[in-house]
Amino acid sequence: MTPQELDTWLKSEIAAFPGRVSLLMVDLKRGEALHAVEPDAVVPAASTIKVPILLAAMEAVERKELALSTPVEVPEGAILPDTTVFEPGNRRPAYPLLELLYWMITVSDNTAANVLIDLLGMDAVNGLCRRWGAEHTCLRRKMLDLVAQAAGRENCTTARDQYALYAGLWRRCRGDHPKQCWMLALDTLLRQRCQDAFLRYLNGPSPTVAHKTGGLDHVHHDAGIFQTAWGDYYLGCFTWEGPSLDGEPEQAQFLGRVGRQFYEVYS
């Protein structure tokens, strides 16, 4: 399949999809957009909002306001019922900052995210978004705050904003002597354990993808950096107003088809 054929395929898939789709693919080295479908549509961020939280924490480390080894308390009252990390067998009074970042990204732990929001402050996360060019991305509430959500305080982002965040991280990891904090941020995204979207149908040698998924009822996203022999590419695909509770299975399957086709064309 050629890139032109991929465009035709995308139009057909999106026309048949029972929901809304925003998509952007960019060649990171050249900064050239290769495919775009409503890339500036503002969408519920779901857990993709955890990417600017990660980056804001690493900015604080770069400024020496925090250290990766800084112990961060996780109070009993902060532990959410959906956690798979802060269970009795893994309970400690405090955890190193780097470990909380790892759990927030790799298994999308909401307790870790909320503790980090308390540590950093929403203003720090939103300030990073403005400085990095993600002007429509905003952290307005904690994870699983149903009262704030019902009041209309929803976290939001766009496919282009997520590109700005990933491209900013990608640039900071280039060069002969990139700073450890940025390399660790990229490495954490590479260790993503949620593989039900872009990676759903990929087989053979594992693709190298630094990414973060996100899902709410009728919402499912995946965005990140595909590292290939031909270069590094940002791909973000966001689906909302779809038929699936928590994005499963129709929306996740759609993301899987998109990820497979992009990887086959560009790898």
Side-chain angles (χ1 to χ4, degrees), residues 134-146:
E135 61 184 37
H136 298 295
T137 298
C138 190
L139 174 65
R140 295 191 176 102
R141 65 169 178 84
K142 289 184 176 182
M143 307 302 112
L144 299 190
D145 185 343
L146 302 182

Side-chain angles (χ1 to χ4, degrees), residues 97-118:
L97 172 63
L98 183 59
E99 182 176 347
L100 291 182
L101 293 169
Y102 177 88
W103 295 127
M104 177 182 70
I105 295 297
T106 61
V107 299
S108 207
D109 190 88
N110 288 318
T111 296
N114 284 352
V115 169
L116 289 165
I117 290 170
D118 285 337

Side-chain angles (χ1 to χ4, degrees), residues 5 14 22 34 42 71 73 87 107 125 143 150 197 205 215 233 252 257:
E5 290 170 336
I14 291 171
S22 171
L34 303 174
V42 179
E73 292 185 5
E87 299 170 327
V107 299
V125 177
M143 307 302 112
Y233 300 92
R257 295 194 298 276

Side-chain angles (χ1 to χ4, degrees), residues 77-180:
I79 299 175
L80 297 171
D82 70 335
T83 188
T84 60
V85 175
F86 302 100
E87 299 170 327
N90 192 38
R91 282 296 288 130
R92 286 166 274 155
Y95 300 76
L97 172 63
L98 183 59
E99 182 176 347
L100 291 182
L101 293 169
Y102 177 88
W103 295 127
M104 177 182 70
I105 295 297
T106 61
V107 299
S108 207
D109 190 88
N110 288 318
T111 296
N114 284 352
V115 169
L116 289 165
I117 290 170
D118 285 337
L119 176 70
L120 301 167
M122 290 189 184
D123 288 346
V125 177
N126 291 327
L128 175 134
C129 292
R130 302 293 85 76
R131 291 192 305 277
W132 285 43
E135 61 184 37
H136 298 295
T137 298
C138 190
L139 174 65
R140 295 191 176 102
R141 65 169 178 84
K142 289 184 176 182
M143 307 302 112
L144 299 190
D145 185 343
L146 302 182
V147 174
Q149 189 177 28
R153 296 200 305 276
E154 187 57 87
N155 303 324
C156 56
T157 193
T158 72
R160 197 184 303 277
D161 278 9
Q162 290 287 321
Y163 161 67
L165 297 172
Y166 279 99
L169 174 59
W170 182 82
R171 287 192 295 269
R172 284 164 174 78
C173 292
R174 307 287 287 176
D176 295 332
H177 303 289
K179 292 186 178 180
Q180 181 195 35

